[in-house]
Amino acid sequence: TTGTYAIKDFGANDYYNLTFTDANASKITLQLANTNTLTVAGNLTLSSGSGTFDNATYDEAVNVTGDVTMDNTRTDMGDATWTVSGSFDNYHVTTFNRNASTLIMNGDNKNFVSHNYTDINNFTIPESVTINVAAAGYLADIRGILQVDGTLNFVSGEGLMLTGGELRLSSTGSITGTGGDFYIYNQSK
């Protein structure tokens, strides 16, 4: 089976857990259907080997109350805000297009797992929230605004780069850890 399939909105909670698995040789595309907010009251899992998750066509806001795991062939974040209450892992996605997206991680003591080939555009950590740059995420890259109102915590040996973007560290924000690296390249402010 090939082609593009729409992910429909059904109301306040569109899905409780949304898992995308595609074992076919010719991969399908899952496309968010319109400009309404997609709400997953649980986990969003894009399994290994599955095709494209397209949010660039309609730039739909995405709210996930659980974890987001991207191990698929391609993810297009779109020019949208993704609010994730669990951990966010895009480490194994083959092609990751950040577009002009913003990732807000609002779940306390959750993990951010990425690397420098799956750049994030804008990344926000709200007040009273701790986000851990977790194992396997060495040198994740933020290309837009890194807004830290809570705590960005580096687990020993992990790292983060801010490349050509802007660090906004508020009076309630902190950057801590037991090791790891934080690099700032070509910072605008």
Side-chain angles (χ1 to χ4, degrees), residues 69-132:
T69 304
M70 298 176 180
D71 293 331
N72 58 314
T73 304
R74 176 178 170 161
T75 296
D76 299 327
M77 295 282 283
D79 299 345
T81 298
W82 287 58
T83 304
V84 178
S85 299
S87 294
F88 182 89
D89 179 351
N90 71 340
Y91 188 82
H92 290 105
V93 66
T94 305
T95 301
F96 183 81
N97 295 311
R98 67 183 179 271
N99 307 106
S101 63
T102 297
L103 172 63
I104 300 171
M105 292 187 68
N106 64 3
D108 190 34
N109 205 26
K110 302 301 178 181
N111 295 323
F112 172 69
V113 183
S114 189
H115 63 82
N116 62 338
Y117 297 109
T118 55
D119 305 343
I120 299 294
N121 190 49
N122 298 318
F123 185 27
T124 299
I125 301 170
E127 188 173 345
S128 301
V129 170
T130 297
I131 298 299
N132 302 304

Side-chain angles (χ1 to χ4, degrees), residues 39-184:
T39 300
V40 178
N43 297 325
L44 172 61
T45 305
L46 308 175
S47 299
S48 178
S50 55
T52 299
F53 186 85
D54 172 20
N55 193 34
T57 300
Y58 293 106
D59 302 321
E60 186 171 329
V62 177
N63 293 330
V64 180
T65 63
D67 296 336
V68 172
T69 304
M70 298 176 180
D71 293 331
N72 58 314
T73 304
R74 176 178 170 161
T75 296
D76 299 327
M77 295 282 283
D79 299 345
T81 298
W82 287 58
T83 304
V84 178
S85 299
S87 294
F88 182 89
D89 179 351
N90 71 340
Y91 188 82
H92 290 105
V93 66
T94 305
T95 301
F96 183 81
N97 295 311
R98 67 183 179 271
N99 307 106
S101 63
T102 297
L103 172 63
I104 300 171
M105 292 187 68
N106 64 3
D108 190 34
N109 205 26
K110 302 301 178 181
N111 295 323
F112 172 69
V113 183
S114 189
H115 63 82
N116 62 338
Y117 297 109
T118 55
D119 305 343
I120 299 294
N121 190 49
N122 298 318
F123 185 27
T124 299
I125 301 170
E127 188 173 345
S128 301
V129 170
T130 297
I131 298 299
N132 302 304
V133 178
Y138 185 72
L139 288 182
D141 200 358
I142 309 299
R143 295 289 181 141
I145 297 168
L146 174 58
Q147 177 74 45
V148 182
D149 299 318
T151 302
L152 178 62
N153 181 48
F154 290 93
V155 178
S156 182
E158 302 309 321
L160 188 73
M161 295 185 296
L162 178 62
T163 307
E166 180 178 334
L167 173 62
R168 295 181 183 171
L169 183 63
S170 74
S171 62
T172 61
S174 64
I175 299 174
T176 64
T178 57
D181 302 310
F182 182 47
Y183 298 98
I184 299 174

Side-chain angles (χ1 to χ4, degrees), residues 10-34:
F10 295 105
N13 290 322
D14 299 311
Y15 300 92
Y16 286 95
N17 286 296
L18 181 58
T19 300
F20 178 28
T21 303
D22 181 7
N24 297 306
S26 298
K27 302 301 180 191
I28 66 170
T29 297
L30 283 182
Q31 183 178 79
L32 297 180
N34 52 40

